[in-house]
Amino acid sequence: MRHWTPGQWVVRLVVLTGPLLALSAEGLQGDGPGWPLLVIVAALSAAFALYPESPAGSVAFVLVLASWWEGGAGLVDASALLAAAALIASHVAAVLAAYGPDDVPLDREVTLLWLVRGAAVFLAAPAVWLLADALSDQPEQAGVWVAGVVAATTAVLFAIVAGRDREPA
Amino acid sequence: MEAQSSVWRPTGSLARSVIVATVGVVASVVGGRPVLLVLVAPMVVTAAFALVRRPPGRPSAHVTLGHRLLHEGQGTLSRLVLTGAEGAEQVTRVAAREPYVRVHPAAGRASRLVAGGPVDFEVSPRRWGRRTLGDGAVALTSAWGGFRWGPVTTGGDRISVLPTSVPYGSRAESPQPRGLVGAHRSARTGSGTEFSGIRGFEPGDRLRRINWRVSARSGRLHVTTTRAEEDAGVLLVVDALADHGRSDGVDGGESSLDLTVRAAAAVAEHAVRQGDRVSLRVLGRDSRQLGYGAGWVHLRRVLGALAAVQPVAAQDGEVERLQLRAAEGTMVVVLSPMLAEVLGTVTATALRRGLPTLVVDTLPEDAAPAVTRGTDPVAADLAWRLRRLEREQVLSSLAALGCPVVPWRGPGTIDEVTRRLARRAQQPRVVVR
């Protein structure tokens, strides 16, 4: 840690606080997460900040999702957008931190590129949020979501296959 | 040197985004929780882009140096050359930490976009010797941080860093020049320019040497004689038996071996500029000698040999059996901290042979003993003081034998001493054979 550059300190702070903020945002719509879960996520986030490539980040994120699954009860309000922003910010910060050893200074252009990317991909969250809000009064929601997810998954698989086709033999 | 082979592998970031996106989407659909889809929607997009942008091919990387011959303190460009890196978006390069090698920028740590141009480091060896430049590691990352190549080591080039040799102007003559053609006034007459005397014409004398004024006055032909100009031999004896003191590189504190090597380089360059022949004798384990030679190519050889000097104690009796191959008239310059008794013996032997010999004292004033762990510091300090007392005794004995001892103070240090030796060479002396 003593070798960290100022940039590394900033991105690792974002990595650390992202999952905690996403977890805490759940409290804005009702009952917040319990203290035991907060402590566990905090510990995992700390490990995630120290080792951005480790599975600790995945586990912390999944625990956040589990907490929202438990407390969300199908309601979608604006606090979900805050949680989504915190999660993607933490993810992007971890990508930046993992580009090299912890004493490598962050490149300005790379950081700017990822800030733009983070902001761009975050737009998917309000889009889905608006869609969910629009469909909230419709019957047979589950079928709609399954169809949407299947379509999205097919698109992703198609993109992966297309990407692999470009590789040399 | 080329980096070892590697392939593109998924990053931890890709694994994270795929896992979280999959868990979120499945849980959302199965559990009827659209809020989870909102949370993971950005991760789904990130994972999709990262997967799609998987790079093709197998990259390779190697490092090239702008210059392969450097003096300490000089710098060159260490350029990272990437091939087959199509699809790579970002490159991280980390230079290995090598003693006495300064890397710029950011101490040899860089992370930037591949499109931003090559990742170059300015490397500058700060001390003479064998140094590895360009060593380090490289990693490439694909767009959206999905795949990584490396990190792989790039290796480096081991080059000889030559000691600095600041040239200096000197008018001091060599004490006993014995050669063919050179810049030093010889004791014998010859075809130089320095006036020697006027004598009667002898068959074989050149007509342009006739001194007409004296010839007209005396009624007999007289010629003007001049002193010959000859080159001289310089034997540099370098003490590499140990290194005392701390070395901070070319712009910092100097150890005894730093002073020795840099002084030898300066004297060698000065001698070569004057057209003298230079020989080098390194005293240490596997004592090596570089034969006499003149010219810039030979100077390069001398500097290369100095760059290869390492402080290694000699085996028992190895130095004592040393034979200084110095012809008559060769000036012997002993560069040493004079802490090894054998150096006093070597110097005294040269003096007794009648060789003009001088000692350049290269012990830094603030030199401290290198104490190994576990040694009683009080005992070490006492031993060091005793050793220095013995050294003073050796230096006094050499001075009594007529050997000048001068501490190295940069270029020109031996000027005055060489002048004194040259004046002394004109006087009659007894030579012990």
Side-chain angles (χ1 to χ4, degrees), chain B residues 165-170 183-184 266-276 278 294-296 299:
Chain B
S165 52
V166 183
Y168 62 98
S170 169
H184 302 290
V267 175
E269 178 159 352
H270 176 66
V272 165
R273 281 178 183 276
Q274 286 198 314
D276 293 339
V278 181
W296 296 107
L299 176 65

Side-chain angles (χ1 to χ4, degrees), chain A residues 11-26 28 41 45 48 57 60-61 64-65 68 78-94 118 121-122 125-126, chain B residues 16 20 38-40 42-43:
Chain A
V11 292
R12 284 164 198 267
L13 196 64
V14 175
V15 172
L16 173 69
T17 53
L20 290 171
L21 194 62
L23 199 60
S24 306
E26 191 191 341
L28 296 175
V41 171
S45 299
F48 185 30
F61 279 29
V64 171
L65 295 182
W68 276 86
S79 62
L81 293 180
L82 177 63
L87 287 181
I88 194 63
S90 180
H91 174 72
V92 166
V121 297
F122 171 70
Chain B
R16 182 172 60 249
V20 173
V38 175
L39 291 181
V40 300
M43 304 285 278

Side-chain angles (χ1 to χ4, degrees), chain B residues 102-149:
Chain B
R102 193 175 290 169
V103 185
H104 182 80
R109 270 109 178 89
S111 170
R112 68 178 63 157
L113 295 174
V114 173
V119 184
D120 297 338
F121 287 152
E122 295 166 23
V123 289
S124 173
R126 311 309 293 174
R127 195 189 183 204
W128 54 272
R130 302 279 292 168
R131 308 268 166 241
T132 303
L133 302 184
D135 193 9
V138 178
L140 300 173
T141 311
S142 68
W144 291 88
F147 295 88
R148 179 170 299 132
W149 176 81

Side-chain angles (χ1 to χ4, degrees), chain B residues 215-270:
Chain B
S215 300
R217 198 161 53 228
S218 62
R220 282 184 56 224
L221 280 178
H222 279 76
V223 291
T224 303
T225 59
T226 54
R227 294 169 67 177
E229 289 175 345
E230 297 174 294
D231 60 329
V234 178
L235 172 61
L236 302 172
V237 181
V238 167
D239 175 1
L241 296 171
D243 191 10
H244 303 281
R246 175 191 161 94
S247 174
D248 294 322
V250 70
D251 43 9
E254 294 177 296
S255 69
S256 65
L257 205 53
D258 283 346
L259 284 168
T260 302
V261 167
R262 287 168 188 155
V267 175
E269 178 159 352
H270 176 66

Side-chain angles (χ1 to χ4, degrees), chain B residues 3 25 27 34 40 67 85 124 137 154 180 183 188 243 248-249 257 296 332 337 344 354 362 379 390 396 431 433:
Chain B
V25 169
V40 300
H67 299 84
S124 173
T154 52
L180 297 174
R188 64 181 176 83
D243 191 10
D248 294 322
L257 205 53
W296 296 107
V332 181
T362 57
E390 288 174 3
S396 301
V431 177
R433 293 185 187 277

Side-chain angles (χ1 to χ4, degrees), chain B residues 70-72 128-129 161-165 261-262 265 302-304 306-307:
Chain B
L70 290 172
H71 287 267
E72 53 184 341
W128 54 272
V161 180
L162 307 181
T164 51
S165 52
V261 167
R262 287 168 188 155
V302 171
L303 295 180
L306 286 171

